[in-house]
Amino acid sequence: MLDFFDITGIVHFGIAGNVNNSMSIGDVTIPKQFAHTGIWDWLNPNAKLNANNNIGQLDIESYNVPKGHGSNLLGHIVYNSEPFFSETGEPNSAQPLLWAPISEHWLKLAANLEDLSLEQSVNSTLFLERKPKLVVGLKGSTANIFVDNAAYRDFLFQAFKVSSVDMESSAVVMTSLSNGYPVIVIRGLSDLAGG
């Protein structure tokens, strides 16, 4: 689209899973930044963790069934940052990127919408339990997996402090940023991820 159309920027919207217990189905989030939280590397059981993989990690080594029968050989999986290519950076040289930021000007404009009154009715017979709200400035997460696990949902919230999970936003934000276009993401929370 960026190559063939004369555009000003990208407005990306859709639904997302909810990861934040302070939000509910029907709420709308406009995150300030996105992380691709689906990039994981296996570490050997004896490998030392360093600052780069201290962001998020899952200890698989101590998981055993039946419980308490020593360590297995699976080790840890740790988060790996996304390689980011930018039009303003060194040609053909990727920089590691954890958080891809939304365009600051568009985010400031969106903050003016937080008092917007959202409808509680889904249709003429179905109503949400409470009036939905619009929240600007939280963090969003993207991965190539559908989060249908409450423990993993809680891990994402604790390790990355994200409020929504989807499968596209990080790629859209990174593509827009790497090509010099402003971008904003609007996500309606459709379910409690893994709930």
Side-chain angles (χ1 to χ4, degrees):
M1 282 179 29
L2 298 175
D3 290 339
F4 293 106
F5 296 97
D6 183 23
I7 65 168
T8 303
I10 302 288
V11 177
H12 180 62
F13 61 92
I15 59 172
N18 179 19
V19 180
N20 183 338
N21 288 333
S22 72
M23 301 193 58
S24 300
I25 295 173
D27 288 346
V28 176
T29 180
I30 302 177
K32 66 180 176 182
Q33 53 193 354
F34 277 88
H36 189 303
T37 55
I39 305 172
W40 296 91
D41 285 336
W42 282 102
L43 291 182
N44 291 328
N46 298 329
K48 301 289 184 214
L49 297 175
N50 61 39
N52 292 340
N53 48 33
N54 198 20
I55 299 161
Q57 61 174 322
L58 294 171
D59 180 15
I60 310 297
E61 179 182 32
S62 61
Y63 178 78
N64 287 295
V65 175
K67 197 170 184 173
H69 287 282
S71 295
N72 61 47
L73 299 177
L74 294 176
H76 297 26
I77 54 175
V78 294
Y79 175 76
N80 190 359
S81 58
E82 181 86 25
F84 179 68
F85 293 88
S86 171
E87 68 170 4
T88 59
E90 189 74 26
N92 299 319
S93 177
Q95 300 298 315
L97 180 69
L98 172 59
W99 295 105
I102 297 300
S103 303
E104 191 174 328
H105 175 69
W106 284 12
L107 198 60
K108 285 180 182 177
L109 291 174
N112 295 324
L113 300 173
E114 282 193 296
D115 292 332
L116 186 69
S117 178
L118 301 176
E119 293 293 324
Q120 194 167 351
S121 62
V122 176
N123 57 39
S124 62
T125 60
L126 181 62
F127 293 86
L128 297 171
E129 290 182 16
R130 61 170 198 75
K131 191 161 180 60
K133 63 185 179 232
L134 170 67
V135 181
V136 177
L138 300 174
K139 294 179 179 180
S141 161
T142 296
N144 58 348
I145 58 171
F146 187 79
V147 178
D148 193 17
N149 181 289
Y152 188 62
R153 173 195 68 222
D154 293 343
F155 167 77
L156 287 173
F157 182 74
Q158 295 300 321
F160 295 97
K161 307 295 185 228
V162 297
S163 291
S164 60
V165 291
D166 67 62
M167 298 177 80
E168 312 84 28
S169 295
S170 181
V172 172
V173 171
M174 288 184 67
T175 300
S176 299
L177 294 175
S178 67
N179 286 282
Y181 287 93
V183 62
I184 194 164
V185 175
I186 304 166
R187 288 289 183 173
L189 301 180
S190 62
D191 62 350
L192 179 62

